[in-house]
Every structure is written in structure tokens, then in C-alpha cells.
Amino acid sequence: MHKFNGFRPTDFEQLKNFFLTNFKTQLKIEDLASQGWNWGKVSFKGNNLSFLVGEQKQRAFEIPLGDVAQCTMPSKDEVALEFHDFTSTSGDVESLVEMRFYIPNVKDKDDDDLGKSKASLFLERVLDKAEVVSGKGIVTFEKLTVLTPRGRYNIEMFPSIMRLHGKSNDFKIKYTSIVRLFHLPKPDKQHTFFVISIEPPIRQGHTIYPHLVFHLKEDEKVENLELNLSSADIKKDRLSTLKGLGTLSGPRIQVISTMFKALTDKKITMPKSFRSDSGHTSVKCSLKTFEGHLFPLESSFFFVHKPPTHIRFEEIKDVEFARVRMDNEVNRTFDFDINLKSGTTLTFTSINRKEYSPIFNFIMKKGLPVKNLSLIHI
């Protein structure tokens, strides 16, 4: 189905004559329901959902299901549709982001008894058409631990989108929405963070997630993971790097990285030059009341995991060290403030005193302004 809009009222007669002459088809005007009713029936046609009201089943509105980013069941009789945010999060343009349907599980005489509630069947219909994808994905990674949004999810990767499927949430994310990828090893050398930054962010209720944080084991391996690639897929520039790879094997984090690099055409950022006092690529600290790890990267800082916070150097006005005077043997920790050009200050607290020199040297090497440089010394 194709839809065209933007016609002027005066164009109708000209279009009517055109279709009648060339296609022997009568062009009709459809009046939409304007009673304001919020109960009715739904109809699926192509990739569109229509809401019909009254005995005449008059259409009240229509939803292009390709705009649906997520479909969940907040309760057993309720289905929530969340839509892609096509506007910038910093803009002042208003758009519809969520719609909820209440679907009581009342059986009609024509219903098939499939052992599922009407709400569950409705959800399946929406998910089936919510993006233009068909058949089996290229590859599926099962039961991945995700810290934000928290849960265990399967990732099914298609040529143009990825599906993040959990127990109660289902996200469909376009690769064009993925702006950055990070591989951030934890100090324990047993786990690593794999972070996907998304713009616009995904939503879960009123919560916005600009970063997906996966928590993976470094030594977990994948054996002979089969790729479902057609000849048409391999011809695409983004997928050409996968040509000849029938299966993938190796550490799970490396296999996941390979797939995301190919499908998003984005490089994966990893720590390079920074080393902590103990030789790690991050320092342990707290942001607000949450403990985590601060990773100094080549052009940014990244704090994981709660809340995952990415700070680009170009956003920084200056930095400031607090409680760090070396002639004071009482303080075993210090604080590190990052003042942004927007006026916001991010304060990282409870950093081990031994980490001052590595962080200070990194700051000076990167040329970031230190606000209280004259008040501190090594």
C-alpha cells in the first residue's frame, strides 16, 4: 500500500478524472469518524493498523506500523505502542510517542481458541508488521545480559534493523539510529561492557535510554554461529565484509563486535592510552549515588553503568579536582568535576587517591583546561 498526501482540495476533480480515464477506477472521498469515541475494533491492512468505530465501522485513525519502535503489555489486557521519535530530543517539535489499547479478553463466537488472550494476539500482529522485515534474521544472539534497560534479551539482527527481544519488552532499532559503539573492558578482566549509543533514544514508559549497556563475559565463546545471508544481502556495501563467512566462531564479544561493525558501518571505540595506577583502563568512582567505572577515552569520557554517561571533550568547558591536596594525608579519595559548556557539572566522587596522577597526566596530555590548577600539586 502506498499513500500520498499534501493535495489541495481543488486537486480532487483532476485526480478523479485521471484515475477514471487511465485505471477505470472511481476515486472516492472517505469521511473519518469524528464522534470522539475511544472504543471500537482494529483492522490490519498491509503495514497499517486502522481503528474503526460505530456500526458502520468508520475509520477514526490509522497507524503506519513501520513507525512503531516498541510494543509491550503493561498488563494482561493492555498493549502499549511506542513510536520512533523522528525529531531531535533537543527540539521543541511535539510528536506522538505512545498509544495504549485496552483489549478485554472477551471471546467472540468467531474467535479461534488458541489459548492466548486477545491482547497477546494483538501484540503478535503488531510485532509482525512493525518493521519491514521478513523471515529469519541474519544472526541471533540469545540471552544477553543488559544493564540498561535491565533484563536478559535476545538480539536478532536483520539487514536494516535489530530486534531486542526481552521477557516483557520488545525494541526494534534501525541501524541508522546507532551513532556510536563502545567496547569497555572491566578491571576484573572477566567481564566487559558493550555499549550501543542511539539517537533518538529508545523509550520504556517515561524513561529514555540513549545507551544500551551489555554486560558480557570475556571468556564466553561462540562456536559455528550460522549466518543467514542471501546473495542480495552480500552485495550490499555494509555486508560485503561478511562475504564468504558461512559461520562465525570465537569469543562472543568479538563475534558481536564483528556483526555490529558490518551492519552499522561504525567503528568500535576502545580505551587506548589511559592506564590507571593498577594498570587498568578505567577508575572506580561514583556518579551521584551510583558506583561505576569512568573510562577516559581518546576523545571522551564514558561512565558506566548507572546512569551510562558519555561526555565528549568538545562539550567540556573545564575540569576541577577537589579534596586532592597531596600535603593532606587524611583524604584517601578525591573528587573529579567536569564542567560542561551547557552549564551542567558532573561530579565523580570516591576516586582512590592513587588515581590522581594518571588522571591528571591524561587531562594535561589531552589539553583539557583545569580550573583550579594553581591550587593543586603532585
Side-chain angles (χ1 to χ4, degrees):
M1 178 186 293
H2 298 279
K3 301 190 72 172
F4 303 90
N5 57 23
F7 296 105
R8 298 168 299 180
T10 54
D11 294 332
F12 178 76
E13 287 300 325
Q14 186 177 356
L15 288 169
K16 179 181 177 181
N17 294 332
F18 174 82
F19 278 98
L20 187 61
T21 302
N22 294 279
F23 301 103
K24 309 302 181 186
T25 300
Q26 188 72 32
L27 190 63
K28 300 178 181 179
I29 295 178
E30 178 185 3
D31 293 324
L32 298 179
S34 58
Q35 300 96 319
W37 292 356
N38 64 346
W39 68 94
K41 293 183 177 293
V42 293
S43 172
F44 292 90
K45 188 175 182 180
N47 287 323
N48 294 312
L49 181 155
S50 295
F51 187 72
L52 311 175
V53 301
E55 295 182 359
Q56 303 300 320
K57 294 184 179 179
Q58 194 175 12
R59 184 165 58 174
F61 60 82
E62 188 174 68
I63 300 172
L65 293 177
D67 292 346
V68 175
Q70 183 191 187
C71 186
T72 60
M73 288 182 61
S75 64
K76 64 179 182 179
D77 294 329
E78 192 175 28
V79 178
L81 275 61
E82 297 184 22
F83 302 98
H84 290 293
D85 186 357
F86 294 107
T87 62
S88 171
T89 54
S90 60
D92 55 1
V93 178
E94 295 184 357
S95 61
L96 179 66
V97 297
E98 182 179 285
M99 180 179 290
R100 296 197 178 197
F101 292 88
Y102 174 70
I103 309 172
N105 195 31
V106 179
K107 295 291 184 182
D108 296 332
K109 62 180 181 179
D110 297 329
D111 287 348
D112 294 327
D113 186 9
L114 300 177
K116 297 181 179 180
S117 68
K118 283 192 170 184
S120 297
L121 295 173
F122 177 85
L123 181 140
E124 291 178 1
R125 292 285 301 273
V126 172
L127 290 178
D128 183 54
K129 299 176 180 293
E131 287 286 359
V132 185
V133 293
S134 60
K136 184 180 178 182
I138 296 174
V139 69
T140 300
F141 299 101
E142 298 182 345
K143 298 179 180 179
L144 300 181
T145 300
V146 183
L147 301 181
T148 55
R150 193 169 187 85
R152 292 180 70 84
Y153 291 83
N154 294 343
I155 294 181
E156 190 172 8
M157 306 187 77
F158 294 87
S160 59
I161 71 163
M162 60 173 277
R163 179 184 179 189
L164 194 64
H165 179 65
K167 184 177 180 181
S168 57
N169 295 296
D170 193 283
F171 301 95
K172 290 187 177 180
I173 302 167
K174 296 180 180 179
Y175 296 131
T176 53
S177 298
I178 297 176
V179 293
R180 296 179 189 86
L181 299 169
F182 299 89
H183 178 185
L184 308 173
K186 291 184 68 175
D188 63 9
K189 297 183 179 181
Q190 297 180 9
H191 298 85
T192 190
F193 299 112
F194 186 74
V195 184
I196 303 173
S197 297
I198 305 169
E199 179 59 41
I202 61 174
R203 298 172 181 265
Q204 185 177 341
H206 296 292
T207 306
I208 294 176
Y209 295 101
H211 307 286
L212 306 180
V213 181
F214 294 82
H215 192 239
L216 306 173
K217 293 182 179 179
E218 286 278 12
D219 59 354
E220 190 170 3
K221 295 185 180 298
V222 171
E223 298 291 341
N224 299 321
L225 185 64
E226 185 176 353
L227 300 182
N228 181 35
L229 280 170
S230 66
S231 57
D233 290 332
I234 293 175
K235 291 179 181 179
K236 297 177 181 178
D237 292 338
R238 290 183 293 106
L239 302 179
S240 60
T241 56
L242 301 177
K243 185 178 181 179
L245 295 178
T247 60
L248 289 175
S249 299
R252 197 179 205 185
I253 177 61
Q254 296 300 334
V255 172
I256 290 175
S257 298
T258 298
M259 291 304 303
F260 271 96
K261 283 177 66 177
L263 290 168
T264 65
D265 198 26
K266 301 289 184 184
K267 69 176 184 178
I268 297 179
T269 301
M270 295 183 65
K272 290 184 179 179
S273 61
F274 177 81
R275 289 298 180 270
S276 69
D277 180 72
S278 53
H280 299 133
T281 57
S282 65
V283 295
K284 190 175 181 180
C285 61
S286 296
L287 178 59
K288 299 179 181 179
T289 59
F290 300 102
E291 287 189 355
H293 300 272
L294 180 64
F295 289 84
L297 306 173
E298 294 309 293
S299 60
S300 63
F301 292 98
F302 209 126
F303 176 82
V304 285
H305 80 280
K306 189 175 182 180
T309 305
H310 184 227
I311 312 155
R312 301 191 303 275
F313 288 168
E314 62 193 51
E315 299 176 296
I316 298 175
K317 177 184 177 183
D318 53 44
V319 301
E320 188 173 358
F321 294 90
R323 303 190 306 110
V324 76
R325 289 184 62 88
M326 306 311 288
D327 56 359
N328 185 353
E329 297 294 335
V330 177
N331 294 333
R332 296 183 178 180
T333 63
F334 68 94
D335 299 340
F336 177 54
D337 295 339
I338 298 180
N339 302 313
L340 304 181
K341 295 176 182 177
S342 63
T344 303
T345 296
L346 299 172
T347 300
F348 300 92
T349 62
S350 303
I351 304 174
N352 191 301
R353 188 173 178 176
K354 294 180 180 180
E355 305 296 355
Y356 169 72
S357 292
I359 294 178
F360 180 83
N361 293 335
F362 178 83
I363 293 295
M364 298 306 293
K365 181 181 178 181
K366 295 300 179 181
L368 295 175
V370 181
K371 186 176 182 180
N372 59 337
L373 184 60
S374 61
L375 301 179
I376 58 177
H377 60 279
I378 301 177

